[in-house]
Amino acid sequence: MINRELINPESIVVVGGSNKTSKPGGNCIRNLAGGNYRGRLYAVNPGETEVQGLKCYANVSDIPQTDLAIISIPAAACLEAVTVLAEEKGVRAFIMYTAGFAEAGAEGGELERKIAGVISRAGASLIGPNCIGLLNRYHHSLFTLPIPDMDPFGADMVSSSGGTAIFIMESAIKMGLRFNSVWSVGNGTLTSVEDVLEYMDMNFNPETDSRIKLLYIESIKDPDRMLEHTGSLIRKGCRIAAIKSGTSESGMRAASSHTGAMANPDLAVEALFRKAGVVRCFSREELATAGAVFTLKELKGRNIAIVTHAGGPAVILTDALSKGGMEIPKLSAHPLAKELKGKLLPGASVSNPVDILGTGEPAHLAAAIDYCERKFREIDGIAVIFGSPGLTRVYEAYDVLDRKMRSCGKPIFPILPSVNTALDETDFFVRKGHVNFSDEVGLANALTAILKTPRPLANSLELKGVDIPRIRHIIDSIPEREGYIAPRYVQMLFGAAGIPMVEELVSDRWEEARDFAGKTGYPVVAKVVGPVHKSDVGGVVLNIRSPEHLEMEFRRLMKIPQACSVMIQPMLEGMELFAGAKYEEKFGHIVLCGLGGIFVEIFRDVASGLAPLATEEALSMIRSLKGHRVFEGARGQKGIDEHRFAQIIVRLSALLRFAVEIKELDVNPLLATENGIIAVDARIRIEKTATWQEE
């Protein structure tokens, strides 16, 4: 619970307040006083009578009635103090700096639960324990530095880690990013990252609240709530970027399928952020840069103009933007390029980058920006690189940049790299309310991540062509409680979900295999049924062109250990695709797609989404793949029907929604032929341990 007493308290007591600002309780009081807190402020410390000019009480039982208590005393003393404050002094909000609770072991965890019980019974809110506090425009209840510039339209940051929050602020302040609030939730005992997001969502006022949210998350306790409130905030006009730590492959569990081996926690987070519309970042600097980009006008397309007076940084930026999928359109052939060139110094280039030369003056900078803004209509955004050549001051140039950023309808991204030589000028520019990206590659990475992040979509089901009652009937009719189901059930489930699958026969009798191949026509494919990984045991034979060849391979395949039968299919040609899914605890089904065949494991170029999926979301997954250009038809190859591929992914996600017993699913390959996309090989593993019910 988050309440008024926590957000805007009329009175605050610092339990453990100190005259020593090297201690958390002392630095907190300094921050509160320095932040011009307007309410009543008290301190409790049995060894002091006055703390930084405040009256100091010897015991919490001596203080007046108070809204918010900041606890900065040893863990062993916290329960007694909190009990008195909650039950006798009317405290309805607590911020606990103190560590040594659940993060320290079982004994600390038990003490933390007792304290949380006291606070809950009192109907109070709690931030922490083991946190650095809360910072907003009403009170600076952090015990750390730095304290950033506060702005109602600055960023709201929510962090699991206090130390990480400090370092993110360090990066952000350097760029000129301002803050509206900083939340350090620590152990998140009663207030988690999800709780803060819910509060921001349910109380969002588009006229007065910040639209920028930055998150550092160590544990997603409730993915559904995270998805609901981040998606809702973004639909209300907010922009959110986040780091989720602790998703490395060392956390992967053993699995028997391609999908199971790849669907690690990192892809689950990727899927959740994709559905919510959250920009995923991987470093503190990248998160701060994304927040700074959010303060600027929104970039509506991929075409960037680079205006520079230094060739090298412009080339570096061009490379970084191009690598991320952005476009740097050539402008030299534009009808007005020659006109712009006439306004610049001899030797200047208007190709893109637009190089006004190292001796270029503020008027040349203004002209280049004006043409990119008003006359080069294909341009969506303008990156301006302007540092100091070490010969003259650049105040006038930065004043021009300030005016253009305020008046220009397209976003301008300032890259002012001379943070030493032009320190005063850069500070002058930032103090006008701007941000500065001193590193062009960092800006490029953040820009491309933002542009690639899809808008949040409604968590809706697309059920056209999906026979839900039949899916349930088939699942219920499978006799096995767990394990990989027989191929005939896979065929039946895919048929009920509207997913085309190649005609096939599964049999342990040679005569049936011979007759089926004769009916469908050669060439055919033969695959062993039984072993999990067919290719690893030589269990797949392609391009069988005669009954004699088929008989030889049939009998060989039946001798492979664990073989129970052989699958015969007509031999088809086309591009191999992959789709799969795995159930992840808390997250639900993670759906994957990518290039198929052996490449799915070699390249691991897969995109993930959270079921259920809509067509637009499935398309965004397909288009985010590094190998997407192959799907478009690279080097003379025919492309695939992306919308048909997306439709199959959507129908797979609908199948999973109504057959939650499916824990792993592989379709590898899906074959994109001239006549469409068809499933050639598929496996499904079930666990009938949960009771299904339609919601």
Side-chain angles (χ1 to χ4, degrees):
M1 179 185 70
I2 296 173
N3 54 19
R4 190 271 308 166
E5 289 84 355
L6 179 66
I7 300 298
N8 188 12
E10 295 178 358
S11 52
I12 300 175
V13 60
V14 180
V15 183
S18 174
N19 283 306
K20 296 180 179 179
T21 56
S22 59
K23 292 187 174 182
N27 206 39
C28 167
I29 290 176
R30 181 173 68 175
N31 287 341
L32 283 164
N36 297 316
Y37 171 61
R38 298 180 182 278
R40 299 181 299 278
L41 184 58
Y42 314 119
V44 173
N45 187 328
E48 303 282 358
T49 57
E50 184 178 287
V51 170
Q52 299 182 47
L54 300 175
K55 180 180 179 180
C56 186
Y57 296 86
N59 196 289
V60 292
S61 60
D62 299 330
I63 68 167
Q65 295 282 301
T66 306
D67 281 351
L68 167 65
I70 297 172
I71 309 297
S72 184
I73 56 177
C78 286
L79 178 58
E80 181 181 355
V82 166
T83 301
V84 172
L85 291 165
E87 296 180 356
E88 299 177 18
K89 298 301 175 181
V91 173
R92 290 297 173 263
F94 291 84
I95 296 173
M96 294 188 67
Y97 298 157
T98 308
F101 292 100
E103 81 283 359
E107 186 176 343
E110 180 58 29
L111 180 57
E112 184 175 317
R113 284 188 288 275
K114 289 179 180 178
I115 291 171
V118 171
I119 293 173
S120 295
R121 286 191 293 275
S125 61
L126 168 65
I127 298 294
N130 187 29
C131 72
I132 64 167
L134 170 63
L135 169 71
N136 63 27
R137 288 177 289 118
Y138 302 108
H139 62 106
H140 296 179
S141 293
L142 295 181
F143 72 79
T144 60
L145 296 173
I147 300 294
D149 289 342
M150 304 303 291
D151 185 321
F153 299 108
D156 291 314
M157 180 167 66
V158 189
S159 177
S160 299
S161 161
T164 305
I166 294 169
F167 301 141
I168 292 170
M169 283 192 287
E170 293 273 12
S171 296
I173 290 169
K174 178 183 67 177
M175 295 179 192
L177 182 62
R178 291 158 175 77
F179 286 84
N180 177 57
S181 68
V182 176
W183 301 68
S184 161
V185 302
N187 290 4
T189 310
L190 294 181
T191 305
S192 64
V193 173
E194 291 94 325
D195 290 315
V196 179
L197 288 169
E198 180 177 12
Y199 174 82
M200 290 178 174
D201 180 24
M202 302 306 290
N203 295 275
F204 182 72
N205 184 330
E207 300 298 323
T208 60
D209 289 352
S210 168
R211 295 174 182 266
I212 301 170
K213 318 294 178 188
L214 304 180
L215 313 176
Y216 172 76
I217 309 166
E218 291 182 344
S219 173
I220 299 178
K221 297 181 178 180
D222 190 336
D224 286 342
R225 285 180 70 210
M226 175 74 68
L227 174 62
E228 176 186 356
H229 296 297
T230 52
S232 174
L233 282 165
I234 292 169
R235 283 189 286 271
K236 290 174 180 176
C238 293
R239 306 176 79 182
I240 303 179
I243 297 172
K244 169 63 179 76
S245 63
T247 56
S248 64
E249 290 198 9
S250 62
M252 291 170 58
R253 294 182 293 279
S256 57
S257 68
H258 298 300
T259 304
M262 290 185 296
N264 55 51
D266 186 67
L267 285 176
V269 172
E270 191 80 32
L272 187 149
F273 285 1
R274 179 190 301 280
K275 187 176 283 290
V278 173
V279 177
R280 188 170 188 193
C281 299
F282 295 90
S283 72
R284 293 179 283 105
E285 195 78 12
E286 188 179 357
L287 184 67
T289 304
V293 171
F294 288 160
T295 67
L296 304 175
K297 296 179 177 71
E298 187 172 355
L299 182 64
K300 301 292 187 180
R302 296 181 177 274
N303 293 338
I304 304 294
I306 301 172
V307 177
T308 183
H309 71 164
V315 173
I316 294 171
L317 178 59
T318 299
D319 289 344
L321 289 170
S322 298
K323 183 179 178 181
M326 309 290 280
E327 299 291 338
I328 315 297
K330 191 173 182 179
L331 299 174
S332 54
H334 194 283
L336 296 174
K338 187 175 181 180
E339 181 179 299
L340 171 60
K341 191 173 178 67
K343 297 180 181 295
L344 305 178
L345 292 174
S349 169
V350 295
S351 176
N352 197 14
V354 178
D355 190 346
I356 65 173
L357 301 180
T359 51
E361 297 179 358
H364 302 129
L365 175 63
I369 293 174
D370 284 343
Y371 271 73
C372 293
E373 154 71 359
R374 301 171 187 170
K375 301 187 178 183
F376 299 151
R377 298 193 180 278
E378 64 269 42
I379 295 301
D380 300 306
I382 308 163
V384 175
I385 303 173
F386 205 102
S388 169
L391 301 173
T392 59
R393 308 307 293 265
V394 289
Y395 281 109
E396 190 178 347
Y398 288 3
D399 193 51
V400 166
L401 186 56
D402 165 53
R403 294 198 306 271
K404 296 301 180 185
M405 288 185 68
R406 296 181 189 281
S407 63
C408 188
K410 297 175 182 177
I412 296 177
F413 307 100
I415 302 166
L416 314 181
S418 300
V419 293
N420 291 312
T421 309
L423 175 62
D424 292 341
E425 295 97 312
T426 304
D427 285 347
F428 158 82
F429 178 78
V430 168
R431 284 197 302 273
K432 287 178 175 287
H434 299 300
V435 292
N436 171 36
F437 308 99
S438 59
D439 177 64
E440 57 274 1
V441 174
L443 169 63
N445 291 342
L447 270 181
T448 54
I450 290 168
L451 208 63
K452 286 180 178 178
T453 301
R455 300 290 301 172
L457 299 168
N459 204 27
S460 59
L461 278 166
E462 295 182 15
L463 298 176
K464 183 178 179 180
V466 179
D467 188 337
I468 298 166
R470 179 148 178 75
I471 288 171
R472 287 310 315 162
H473 174 75
I474 295 164
I475 287 288
D476 293 338
S477 68
I478 297 172
E480 292 82 9
R481 302 296 300 173
E482 62 179 46
Y484 282 97
I485 63 176
R488 68 180 182 278
Y489 292 118
V490 177
Q491 283 266 7
M492 293 164 65
L493 283 171
F494 276 33
I499 300 167
M501 195 164 187
V502 68
E503 186 180 4
E504 66 184 29
L505 170 79
V506 177
S507 177
D508 60 357
R509 296 176 57 200
W510 155 241
E511 292 79 10
E512 287 186 350
R514 179 195 61 201
D515 293 346
F516 178 81
K519 175 186 171 185
T520 60
Y522 289 92
V524 297
V525 177
K527 304 175 184 179
V528 68
V529 176
V532 173
H533 296 298
K534 302 177 182 70
S535 297
D536 292 350
V537 295
V540 178
V541 186
L542 306 177
N543 207 27
I544 299 173
R545 294 184 171 274
S546 68
E548 293 78 15
H549 187 190
L550 177 60
E551 182 176 9
M552 179 183 70
E553 295 293 355
F554 182 93
R555 300 194 186 284
R556 182 186 67 81
L557 293 172
M558 286 299 296
K559 292 178 182 178
I560 292 175
Q562 300 180 347
C564 60
S565 56
V566 174
M567 178 186 294
I568 310 296
Q569 298 173 333
M571 178 78 181
L572 300 177
E573 292 185 357
M575 186 184 298
E576 292 187 339
L577 311 174
F578 162 78
K582 183 172 184 289
Y583 184 82
E584 277 285 330
E585 196 65 36
K586 294 184 180 180
F587 288 85
H589 282 102
I590 311 301
V591 181
L592 308 182
C593 70
L595 282 168
I598 62 172
F599 298 110
V600 68
E601 287 197 78
I602 294 174
F603 296 131
R604 290 182 174 267
D605 178 21
V606 294
S608 59
L610 273 183
L613 295 166
T615 299
E616 187 178 346
E617 189 175 358
L619 283 169
S620 81
M621 290 167 59
I622 294 167
R623 291 167 182 169
S624 72
L625 293 164
K626 294 176 183 176
H628 176 248
R629 289 186 64 189
V630 177
F631 298 161
E632 294 178 313
R635 299 183 67 86
Q637 299 290 321
K638 282 192 174 183
I640 70 165
D641 185 342
E642 289 183 5
H643 286 270
R644 181 59 183 148
F645 190 15
Q647 185 181 63
I648 289 173
I649 294 169
V650 168
R651 289 184 176 182
L652 277 176
S653 80
L655 167 64
L656 297 165
R657 170 63 183 79
F658 293 100
V660 295
E661 296 88 345
I662 296 175
K663 301 306 176 186
E664 290 183 38
L665 181 153
D666 264 339
V667 191
N668 186 27
L670 272 167
L671 206 61
T673 72
E674 291 185 353
N675 298 319
I677 300 178
I678 189 167
V680 174
D681 199 357
R683 293 182 300 159
I684 293 176
R685 185 177 68 82
I686 64 168
E687 291 178 12
K688 289 188 176 183
T689 54
T691 302
W692 180 91
Q693 66 178 40
E694 185 175 350
E695 295 180 356

